[in-house]
Amino acid sequence: MSPIPKPLFFFFFLNYVSLSTSLSLHLPLTSLPISTTTNSHRFTTSLLSRKNPSPSSPPYNFRSRFKYSMALIISLPIGTPPQAQQMVLDTGSQLSWIQCHRKKLPPKPKTSFDPSLSSSFSTLPCSHPLCKPRIPDFTLPTSCDSNRLCHYSYFYADGTFAEGNLVKEKITFSNTEITPPLILGCATESSDDRGILGMNRGRLSFVSQAKISKFSYCIPPKSNRPGFTPTGSFYLGDNPNSHGFKYVSLLTFPESQRMPNLDPLAYTVPMIGIRFGLKKLNISGSVFRPDAGGSGQTMVDSGSEFTHLVDAAYDKVRAEIMTRVGRRLKKGYVYGGTADMCFDGNVAMIPRLIGDLVFVFTRGVEILVPKERVLVNVGGGIHCVGIGRSSMLGAASNIIGNVHQQNLWVEFDVTNRRVGFAKADCSRVV
């Protein structure tokens, strides 16, 4: 997959089921461009050699670090005995799926999951409720294959796709910490060599099935140093750093309010404005909230690289950039089909002219992007403001991408329906 901005994984929705059981984990992530190969050997010999693990009750406890470049990649030990699987950590989608081994077709990457090696693997038959078409809470297209197994097809906004069978499998976090069987996709056809870890508020997300009450991550700044990948942290459950978090309440939507352009399972936050330095742009707060048709919601999405804004907000941001550095824009250049505020050559002065970028929320909560990180190096000597136009994706939402979540703790408190933020040096935190 080409390295393009990825506000991708929020197009298929499932009903939200509130969670009350606590789970506490600190998991290993590898955050890299989707096209980059990573080493999956992340688990101890004792973990990989387990033969018959049995499910344990939350809370679980596991600690590690992750790496970050463009997309967050988590390495999870799946099956019995565990097989390490690379998965994109995505707060914008629900279905989790893994790359599965194909017996009769050309082999997939060596890291693909081999169901025949796992004693805890099982498939979902066509008679399973999830395999019945058009049930209200599952818009995933399913069908019955020639083996009478439940087959699914999943498509994302950037053209990524995956299809295979719906299955059940365990995830092992340590010798004594194992989930019960979770419903996953077992992809035998896909356009990427990694899976997806769906983390939204839907009932079949990893968060819901594993009964996770909260999770948080701290993404370090990207590095332009060749061969160096910065590291950060990801927690499931209580975060020992949470004493400094500032929270905003999630906007939630009952069944009666479901609208055609709304993703009711996204982590929708109450953004009210955008500033450059001390100058607040003249954008109505209503632009950042769902209108009668659901357009305009603002979501926090770890599966998106760039932030994307609806036209009414993007036009004001672009006008301000033009006022400050318009003559230096690279004319006719659009990164990823959505971002046209880009520059080439020597850009040392441009961040100083643009200033700090601030996303403003209710309760005095802000995400401040310092001027040094307003531009994103997209390669080829080109740097872009890390904001794209949502309409160019065919989306009607504002999306806070991971490039604007750097050097922040971001906590998704699912039980209390809130999101917390706190400044941090994410290259150093544990």
Side-chain angles (χ1 to χ4, degrees), residues 78 83-86 97-118 121 123 147 149 152 163-165 167 169 185-190 192-195:
I78 295 177
Q83 301 174 46
Q85 296 297 298
Q86 306 295 314
W97 55 269
I98 56 177
Q99 296 285 351
C100 279
H101 182 69
R102 302 179 295 191
K103 292 182 179 179
K104 298 181 180 180
L105 297 171
K108 299 185 81 173
K110 293 181 180 179
T111 56
S112 63
F113 183 81
D114 189 343
S116 68
L117 300 179
S118 175
F121 178 88
T123 55
N147 295 316
L149 299 177
Y152 76 95
E163 62 176 303
N165 291 118
V167 304
E169 188 55 285
C186 185
T188 52
E189 296 289 341
S190 66
D192 189 24
D193 61 357
R194 296 180 181 85

Side-chain angles (χ1 to χ4, degrees), residues 22-323:
S22 173
L23 182 148
S24 180
L25 288 169
H26 187 189
L27 291 172
L29 290 180
T30 305
S31 179
L32 296 168
I34 298 301
S35 59
T36 303
T37 302
T38 59
N39 188 338
S40 63
H41 301 289
R42 292 182 173 271
F43 306 98
T44 64
T45 301
S46 61
L47 179 62
L48 289 171
S49 64
R50 281 189 59 82
K51 299 299 182 183
N52 295 296
S54 58
S56 55
S57 299
Y60 306 122
N61 185 19
F62 194 80
R63 302 178 64 86
S64 187
R65 303 278 293 170
F66 73 88
K67 296 182 179 180
Y68 170 75
S69 177
M70 281 176 60
L72 282 70
I73 307 295
I74 182 169
S75 183
L76 284 180
I78 295 177
T80 310
Q83 301 174 46
Q85 296 297 298
Q86 306 295 314
M87 305 174 77
V88 176
L89 178 75
D90 184 15
T91 61
S93 67
Q94 176 171 205
L95 180 71
S96 297
W97 55 269
I98 56 177
Q99 296 285 351
C100 279
H101 182 69
R102 302 179 295 191
K103 292 182 179 179
K104 298 181 180 180
L105 297 171
K108 299 185 81 173
K110 293 181 180 179
T111 56
S112 63
F113 183 81
D114 189 343
S116 68
L117 300 179
S118 175
S119 62
S120 54
F121 178 88
S122 65
T123 55
L124 266 63
C126 293
S127 58
H128 193 282
L130 288 178
C131 208
K132 299 184 189 291
R134 295 184 298 279
I135 62 174
D137 64 341
F138 201 71
T139 57
L140 176 69
T142 57
S143 62
C144 190
D145 70 12
S146 59
N147 295 316
R148 303 294 299 168
L149 299 177
C150 190
H151 185 88
Y152 76 95
S153 300
Y154 213 52
F155 297 88
Y156 299 94
D158 68 339
T160 304
F161 73 92
E163 62 176 303
N165 291 118
L166 292 180
V167 304
K168 286 187 175 182
E169 188 55 285
K170 297 177 181 180
I171 299 177
T172 302
F173 299 111
S174 74
N175 287 351
T176 58
E177 297 166 338
I178 305 143
T179 71
L182 309 178
I183 294 176
L184 309 169
C186 185
T188 52
E189 296 289 341
S190 66
S191 55
D192 189 24
D193 61 357
R194 296 180 181 85
I196 296 291
L197 187 67
M199 298 289 286
N200 77 1
R201 298 165 58 243
R203 71 184 185 92
L204 288 183
S205 71
F206 173 74
V207 170
S208 296
Q209 291 194 74
K211 294 182 171 59
I212 296 166
S213 62
K214 64 180 68 171
F215 63 96
S216 54
Y217 51 71
C218 195
I219 303 174
K222 290 178 67 174
S223 172
N224 296 323
R225 188 172 15 148
F228 175 75
T229 306
T231 61
S233 290
F234 175 62
Y235 280 90
L236 297 180
D238 291 333
N239 186 324
N241 303 283
S242 64
H243 59 277
F245 292 0
K246 294 183 178 180
Y247 293 92
V248 294
S249 297
L250 288 171
L251 303 182
T252 57
F253 309 93
E255 289 284 348
S256 59
Q257 270 188 271
R258 297 301 161 88
M259 298 162 268
N261 293 319
L262 181 76
D263 181 351
L265 303 178
Y267 295 98
T268 303
V269 290
M271 192 161 86
I272 58 176
I274 297 174
R275 293 201 323 264
F276 281 97
L278 297 177
K279 180 179 180 180
K280 184 176 180 180
L281 301 187
N282 184 23
I283 306 173
S284 170
S286 63
V287 169
F288 305 111
R289 289 177 177 255
D291 62 17
S295 300
Q297 73 180 121
T298 300
M299 62 182 71
V300 182
D301 186 7
S302 66
S304 302
E305 183 193 10
F306 273 26
T307 289
H308 282 71
L309 300 174
V310 298
D311 287 349
Y314 187 85
D315 289 342
K316 292 294 180 68
V317 169
R318 193 177 193 283
E320 185 65 23
I321 294 292
M322 289 294 292
T323 298

